[in-house]
Amino acid sequence: MLIKEDISWQSKDGLNLYAQSIGSAEAQLTVLCMHGLTRNHKDFNPMIQALGDRYRYIAVDVRGRGRSERDPQPKNYSPTVYAADMVTLLDHLQLQSVVLIGTSMGGLMSMLLSRMIPNRLRGVVLNDIGPVIDQFGLERIATYVGEVRPFADWEAAAENIARIQAASFPGYGSEQWMAFARRTCHEIDSGEVLADYDPQIAKSLGNVKPGLLTRLAMWRLFKSMYKRPLLIIRGETSDILSQKTLHKMIRRHPNASTVTVPGVGHAPLLDEPEAVADISGFLKGLEADA
């Protein structure tokens, strides 16, 4: 049985933040799990259940999501600030060596952390994200982020999520959509169901400028990952990480591997058999090199 423990810490600017530790603190590896834009720590529950109890996982709620405090200054909803919060968390837990698993926005945080604390990282798993983000995918996400309204019940919430995410997970049925809703929403006092994030995070999308200077800066940031093993996971039909960008990442990184999750878009949940097999192998390889 997996051991679960709540973690509370405070950011440098005074926000109360939350994470959940799953697994033994005596494990050979500690894995810091960082979610995507509208998700929270529960996004990693399927992956952790599939991987088992060999390692310790720390799944975070980035500020403005889940059980972490909402930020009164929306300008702070940025990967740079989130990454600084992760360093504060690692200092709070006195962790000097971790593996990073970052989904989408969490992958951008992983790139930043590779520059900020390179000597504390054992390896990195990037889930469906790279230095170049496809504009089509950004525009798709922008159509629903920030439009937070309460749903009458869990069934209505699940139906809405299915409508938004159907193209990314075409094989899902009603049970899977309900599980998706339970991970990404919460019930409020009225009994209605609400997405579990601050709608003000939508403003951060306006700061993404996919021009030449941004791309050059992102590739320079990616270069900071070259000294650590890297596993890149891509959804077969992803509209965020293109095959062209993926191939370029593999060519440039001296110690990178990749796996494509068939029939899935942005972003794989990481409980798919292909993802589980490669993440497990990647972590065992890092453990062996310790």
Side-chain angles (χ1 to χ4, degrees), residues 74-175:
K75 66 180 182 180
N76 291 331
Y77 288 142
S78 74
T80 303
V81 175
Y82 304 149
D85 290 342
M86 297 304 103
V87 177
T88 304
L89 170 62
L90 296 181
D91 290 344
H92 172 72
L93 297 175
Q94 299 182 325
L95 288 171
Q96 297 302 317
S97 176
V98 294
V99 181
L100 305 180
I101 297 182
T103 293
S104 194
M105 181 191 76
L108 299 179
M109 293 162 60
S110 298
M111 293 185 211
L112 288 163
L113 289 168
S114 294
R115 175 176 289 177
M116 295 166 68
I117 51 168
N119 294 330
R120 296 171 78 169
L121 305 185
R122 298 275 289 274
V124 179
V125 178
L126 292 180
N127 183 20
D128 214 59
I129 194 69
V132 179
I133 303 173
D134 279 14
Q135 186 65 18
F136 180 84
L138 278 178
E139 292 173 356
R140 175 183 59 80
I141 293 170
T143 62
Y144 66 84
V145 174
E147 294 184 1
V148 176
R149 57 185 176 86
F151 297 98
D153 50 32
W154 284 104
E155 286 71 21
E159 288 172 4
N160 182 69
I161 291 171
R163 178 182 59 81
I164 293 171
Q165 301 285 352
S168 293
F169 303 97
Y172 273 24
S174 58
E175 186 174 317

Side-chain angles (χ1 to χ4, degrees), residues 29-286:
L29 292 179
T30 296
V31 184
L32 180 63
C33 304
M34 298 172 292
H35 58 76
L37 182 66
T38 63
R39 309 292 182 82
N40 57 68
H41 78 277
K42 291 181 285 187
D43 207 42
F44 291 97
N45 286 347
M47 179 198 77
I48 294 169
Q49 288 294 327
L51 288 171
D53 61 359
R54 187 179 183 92
Y55 307 113
R56 181 192 187 192
Y57 303 91
I58 298 175
V60 302
D61 282 346
V62 169
R63 62 171 66 198
R65 283 80 163 178
R67 294 170 63 177
S68 284
E69 193 172 356
R70 276 43 178 164
D71 197 315
Q73 301 293 331
K75 66 180 182 180
N76 291 331
Y77 288 142
S78 74
T80 303
V81 175
Y82 304 149
D85 290 342
M86 297 304 103
V87 177
T88 304
L89 170 62
L90 296 181
D91 290 344
H92 172 72
L93 297 175
Q94 299 182 325
L95 288 171
Q96 297 302 317
S97 176
V98 294
V99 181
L100 305 180
I101 297 182
T103 293
S104 194
M105 181 191 76
L108 299 179
M109 293 162 60
S110 298
M111 293 185 211
L112 288 163
L113 289 168
S114 294
R115 175 176 289 177
M116 295 166 68
I117 51 168
N119 294 330
R120 296 171 78 169
L121 305 185
R122 298 275 289 274
V124 179
V125 178
L126 292 180
N127 183 20
D128 214 59
I129 194 69
V132 179
I133 303 173
D134 279 14
Q135 186 65 18
F136 180 84
L138 278 178
E139 292 173 356
R140 175 183 59 80
I141 293 170
T143 62
Y144 66 84
V145 174
E147 294 184 1
V148 176
R149 57 185 176 86
F151 297 98
D153 50 32
W154 284 104
E155 286 71 21
E159 288 172 4
N160 182 69
I161 291 171
R163 178 182 59 81
I164 293 171
Q165 301 285 352
S168 293
F169 303 97
Y172 273 24
S174 58
E175 186 174 317
Q176 290 160 304
W177 289 123
M178 179 58 72
F180 205 123
R182 295 282 182 180
R183 290 192 301 271
T184 57
C185 301
H186 69 290
E187 189 171 322
I188 57 180
D189 292 342
S190 65
E192 295 174 304
V193 175
L194 196 64
D196 207 2
Y197 64 85
D198 184 349
Q200 294 297 314
I201 67 171
K203 294 183 178 180
S204 65
L205 289 177
N207 298 327
V208 180
K209 309 293 184 184
L212 176 61
L213 292 178
T214 298
R215 290 197 297 271
L216 290 173
M218 290 301 297
W219 281 112
R220 286 196 295 271
L221 185 60
F222 180 69
K223 189 175 181 180
S224 65
M225 308 183 81
Y226 287 6
K227 293 183 179 181
R228 297 291 178 268
L230 173 66
L231 172 62
I232 309 167
I233 298 171
R234 179 179 183 269
E236 182 183 25
T237 61
S238 175
D239 58 1
I240 290 291
L241 175 60
S242 70
Q243 290 191 29
K244 178 181 178 181
T245 298
L246 175 62
H247 293 158
K248 191 172 182 179
M249 293 166 72
I250 292 295
R251 288 198 307 270
R252 291 191 175 194
H253 196 290
N255 189 12
S257 57
T258 182
V259 59
T260 296
V261 179
V264 170
H266 183 78
L269 282 179
L270 304 182
D271 66 340
E272 303 88 357
E274 299 82 4
V276 170
D278 277 64
I279 293 172
S280 179
F282 183 75
L283 295 177
K284 287 178 181 177
L286 295 177

